[in-house]
Amino acid sequence: MRPLPILPQEPDRYPENLLQSELAEQQSWWLLYTKSRQEKQLMRRLRELEVPHYGPQIEQRRRSPNGRVRTSYVPLFNNYVFLCGNDDARYQAVCTGCVQQVSEITDTGPLITDLTQISDLVDMHVPLSVEGRLVPGQQVRVKNGAFAGFEGVVLRRDQETRLLVSVRFMDQGVSVKLDDCQLEPLGAAPVEES
């Protein structure tokens, strides 16, 4: 049995300027939950149908058994693709056979902000960690450095500070390691419950 070839990187959105376009603000947004390992297939089909969508992908490097470094592009959020469009676009996505569940996103302003920040982090090619559960914490903005202007929640784990940039609607996000001196608080610290 021959091993499957590693495919080149494919676009993670259609159209390319989706998050900056008026379309993103004018249309409804949907969170598509795909069948297992069907995110890229769904995005290919949506591109063919010219249905606006976004499914962030990150570069992943692994060493093969013979020692070669293999680079592949994997979905940042397993089993999720964001769709921008009306009920007809949602229907076309469901008809691809790749979608298990669809949820409408009603508060699209924060979603577009979150997705734009995640897109910017992915474009910076920095190591990102997917965070599956949001932890309540201090809302912050990065003051300086390459991430200046990004906003998120601070996570502390194993003696390091990580800034969580989340997609509020789905309680997932990505984090990047930062120093405390780079962050400024945005409001009061959360009150601990006893």
Side-chain angles (χ1 to χ4, degrees):
M1 175 185 246
R2 289 176 22 144
L4 294 174
I6 295 179
L7 300 173
Q9 183 177 11
E10 297 180 60
D12 63 359
R13 72 194 80 183
Y14 175 85
E16 182 62 35
N17 67 341
L18 173 64
L19 298 175
Q20 294 78 30
S21 70
E22 289 182 15
L23 177 72
E25 296 174 10
Q26 295 170 349
Q27 289 288 332
S28 298
W29 280 84
W30 309 85
L31 181 63
L32 306 177
Y33 183 76
T34 68
K35 294 180 180 177
S36 181
R37 302 166 82 84
Q38 293 285 308
E39 305 92 336
K40 289 183 180 181
Q41 177 64 22
L42 173 61
M43 289 191 294
R44 281 184 210 114
R45 302 280 301 278
L46 292 176
R47 265 194 315 277
E48 289 170 7
L49 295 168
E50 298 182 355
V51 173
H53 65 277
Y54 179 50
Q57 298 176 48
I58 56 173
E59 182 179 276
Q60 186 176 70
R61 293 175 185 237
R62 295 187 190 251
R63 194 169 295 278
S64 68
N66 64 1
R68 288 187 175 159
V69 175
R70 304 271 189 204
T71 302
S72 58
Y73 297 90
V74 297
L76 185 59
F77 302 119
N78 290 332
N79 299 91
Y80 290 104
V81 173
F82 296 92
L83 181 128
C84 176
N86 56 20
D87 284 328
D88 186 52
R90 178 190 54 81
Y91 178 75
Q92 288 179 320
V94 171
C95 288
T96 64
C98 300
V99 178
Q100 281 189 321
Q101 187 175 342
V102 178
S103 300
E104 184 174 12
I105 302 170
T106 54
D107 195 6
T108 58
L111 173 76
I112 295 167
T113 301
D114 293 344
L115 292 180
T116 300
Q117 285 196 115
I118 287 182
S119 175
D120 291 345
L121 285 172
V122 169
D123 291 345
M124 293 173 125
H125 301 287
V126 294
L128 299 173
S129 300
V130 175
E131 304 293 341
R133 182 169 277 156
L134 296 181
V135 177
Q138 179 68 49
Q139 223 20 61
V140 295
R141 177 183 297 121
V142 181
K143 296 188 293 188
N144 54 38
F147 305 103
F150 283 92
E151 295 181 8
V153 177
V154 173
L155 299 179
R156 294 191 189 278
R157 263 194 321 217
D158 301 28
Q159 307 301 318
E160 66 180 28
T161 300
R162 299 186 72 85
L163 173 71
L164 173 67
V165 176
S166 64
V167 178
R168 288 165 257 202
F169 178 77
M170 48 187 294
D171 287 341
Q172 290 191 19
V174 297
S175 67
V176 63
K177 184 177 176 181
L178 294 171
D179 295 323
D180 284 348
C181 64
Q182 292 180 278
L183 305 174
E184 64 181 352
L186 294 175
V191 177
E192 290 187 23
E193 296 179 22
S194 48

